[in-house]
Amino acid sequence: MPALESLIESKLQGLEGVLALRLPSGQRLGPAEAPVTLAFRQISALRHLAAGQLGRLGDDIVRGRVAVEGSLRDLMRVVAALVPAGGEALAPGLWQRLRYRGESLLRHSRARDAEQIRAHYDVSNDFYALWLDPLRVYSCAYFATPGMDLAAAQVAKLDLICRKLDLRPGERFLDIGAGWGGLMLHAARHYGVDATGITLSQNQHAHVTRLIAEEGLSDRVRIEIRDYRDLAPERPFDKLASVGMFEHVGRANMATYCDTLYRLVRPGGLVLNHGITASGLDDATVGGGLGDFIEEHIFPGGELIHVSQALRTLSQAGLEMVDTENLRPHYARTLWAWSDALESRLPQAEAVLARAMPPARAAEVLRAYRLYLAGCALAFERAWVALHQILLIRPDPDQSSADMPGAHSAYHFRRDHIYRAAEL
């Protein structure tokens, strides 16, 4: 124990007085005025801190073996200082990459994907409503102006996607991974499209079905519980968006996913892929086991690839990239807004979760989400991960315009239509 305490004290010296510890014996280490105190109830959890195993330490917090006293924002200052190599991506060796691929193949059957999506998104609609915007848009917002609040920034993001796709009245629009319906309903209301959404979440499907009926849009908006691989429309769609779906596909299925995007859009049509990307090349990950924590507690089956790998696989499928935008800092700001909203409603959140599951499990889920939201905000802020919107066309050599004879699509090859604000 003395050697362990000595190792812990050396770690505390590099944290500029931000962190204090309370050991199982009651002994306190670190400054009395530290904004964050970790109260350890088991020695094993203390060893995880000493070894820099932050994913396991996060699991200790979720399981109640460690209590956090202080704000999540201050705790993330501690995490940033403890991440090995300052967050620099750590490249795996050959055998580790082969193991990743084997695990990816096992984790992404149709049945496993459905189970994994429901494990996250079917926690409780009311729980998500506590900290998301009123439209329940569960993806990176777009802060078009500095003073925007989250609700306005989510509408701005929805509209940015619609403008990038240059949606027109009557076009057939597909939303893969439609969530709580924000994008497809926005596109139907403001751009007059005929919209189809697909999801694997029972809760999301029920919520969106009710919204469609309430707004009287059943004649041109619909949502289905369906795996993207099983969608077989009578004819391809004019435009397609996939928002926050890409991260759930898995490396082993990425080629199938990209081939499916190509198959589902007509020649000359447009595809917008909005998804989280890794900052490290070749399956490199941030050290400390943070990804393992997300895998176990938040997104089972989630896998990230670098944007260069995404572009390569999309190109191999026959799609041509015409515009790519990195919205990474926007996602940091989005996640902090979600985290702050949840932190301000902790008693309500625990009560809502306790209606959907046993109270002890509700407390664990809440602790996991608190760490996840603040931790992901930190990761995007520190550029440990990124968020890319990739706009693509399915080339059609017969499609052109007078001034753009080589367009091969409906894309203008100018950006003015993207940044021209719509009247909503």
Side-chain angles (χ1 to χ4, degrees):
M1 185 67 179
L4 180 60
E5 288 184 15
S6 176
L7 182 58
I8 290 294
E9 286 179 334
S10 69
K11 279 189 174 293
L12 289 175
Q13 289 174 4
L15 290 173
E16 300 177 349
V18 176
L19 177 66
L21 308 179
R22 190 159 59 249
L23 307 187
S25 64
Q27 179 186 0
R28 183 182 176 88
L29 302 176
E33 68 278 8
V36 177
T37 297
L38 295 181
F40 287 82
R41 294 165 182 156
Q42 294 184 9
I43 290 296
S44 62
L46 196 61
R47 293 194 178 98
H48 294 156
L49 173 62
Q53 296 172 329
L54 299 182
R56 291 189 177 182
L57 181 61
D59 182 69
D60 291 327
I61 293 171
V62 170
R63 304 299 184 193
R65 296 187 283 263
V66 180
V68 177
E69 299 170 6
S71 77
L72 268 290
R73 283 184 177 261
D74 284 331
L75 179 62
M76 289 308 117
R77 291 169 59 195
V78 174
V79 171
L82 291 175
V83 168
E88 181 180 344
L90 305 176
L94 173 61
W95 290 111
Q96 196 170 9
R97 289 201 297 272
L98 290 173
R99 180 174 66 82
Y100 286 164
R101 180 166 180 82
E103 290 173 348
S104 183
L105 284 167
L106 292 172
R107 286 188 297 201
H108 291 286
S109 66
R110 284 165 172 78
R112 287 291 299 275
D113 278 346
E115 177 185 334
Q116 289 164 168
I117 289 295
R118 289 166 187 161
H120 183 84
Y121 293 98
D122 287 354
V123 167
S124 163
N125 277 348
D126 292 338
F127 172 65
Y128 285 104
L130 285 174
W131 46 273
L132 295 178
D133 67 293
L135 298 178
R136 299 189 195 178
V137 182
Y138 191 27
S139 54
C140 174
Y142 180 67
F143 294 87
T145 60
M148 268 190 172
D149 64 12
L150 178 64
Q154 289 292 14
V155 173
K157 186 274 298 296
L158 299 179
D159 205 61
L160 178 65
I161 291 173
C162 292
R163 295 200 308 275
K164 284 187 175 184
L165 287 168
D166 195 23
L167 294 181
R168 305 294 179 91
E171 286 185 330
R172 298 176 67 251
F173 170 61
L174 173 64
D175 185 3
I176 295 180
W180 284 278
L183 176 59
M184 57 187 293
L185 290 169
H186 183 91
R189 293 186 201 108
H190 300 288
Y191 289 85
V193 299
D194 181 283
T196 298
I198 60 171
T199 181
L200 292 174
S201 165
Q202 300 280 358
N203 283 7
Q204 290 179 340
H205 178 267
H207 178 80
V208 179
T209 299
R210 178 176 58 79
L211 291 180
I212 292 170
E214 287 177 355
E215 296 195 28
L217 293 172
S218 301
D219 60 328
R220 58 187 179 91
V221 181
R222 64 211 60 86
I223 187 165
E224 304 174 12
I225 295 179
R226 192 177 299 277
D227 189 288
Y228 71 95
R229 291 162 286 197
D230 296 331
L231 190 60
E234 293 182 2
R235 56 192 175 94
F237 293 89
D238 298 300
K239 309 283 175 67
L240 181 160
S242 176
V243 180
M245 161 68 190
F246 175 72
E247 304 91 314
H248 298 287
V249 168
R251 299 176 188 89
N253 283 339
M254 197 56 64
T256 298
Y257 169 76
C258 295
D259 289 341
T260 302
L261 298 184
Y262 180 90
R263 173 178 60 83
L264 291 173
V265 71
R266 66 168 174 79
L270 276 69
V271 172
L272 189 288
N273 189 87
H274 169 121
I276 301 171
T277 53
S279 292
L281 293 163
D282 301 321
D283 297 332
T285 59
V286 178
L290 298 179
D292 294 335
F293 174 84
I294 295 293
E295 162 74 22
E296 180 175 355
H297 292 285
I298 304 298
F299 286 116
E303 298 175 33
L304 303 183
I305 63 173
H306 192 266
V307 65
S308 63
Q309 297 175 34
L311 289 170
R312 178 181 179 85
T313 311
L314 288 162
S315 298
Q316 288 172 333
L319 296 165
E320 180 185 356
M321 188 274 290
V322 293
D323 191 271
T324 298
E325 185 172 11
N326 186 350
L327 298 180
R328 178 184 58 75
H330 291 267
Y331 213 175
R333 187 169 167 185
T334 302
L335 281 152
W336 279 127
W338 291 342
S339 176
D340 290 343
L342 179 58
E343 291 300 300
S344 71
R345 298 175 175 87
L346 293 178
Q348 301 97 306
E350 188 159 5
V352 164
L353 289 170
R355 293 200 294 268
M357 61 191 73
R361 177 59 183 154
E364 287 190 351
V365 169
L366 181 56
R367 289 193 289 266
Y369 270 75
R370 293 178 68 197
L371 292 177
Y372 145 63
L373 292 175
C376 285
L378 174 70
F380 282 96
E381 200 170 70
R382 296 297 179 105
W384 298 342
V385 285
L387 186 288
H388 284 87
Q389 284 190 350
I390 305 172
L391 184 63
L392 308 119
I393 61 172
R394 175 176 170 175
D396 177 7
D398 296 328
Q399 188 168 335
S400 62
S401 60
D403 70 326
M404 289 288 172
H408 294 181
S409 69
Y411 183 64
H412 300 283
F413 284 89
R414 298 184 181 93
R415 282 185 163 189
D416 57 319
H417 70 289
I418 294 176
Y419 295 106
R420 189 186 309 121
E423 294 183 7
L424 301 181

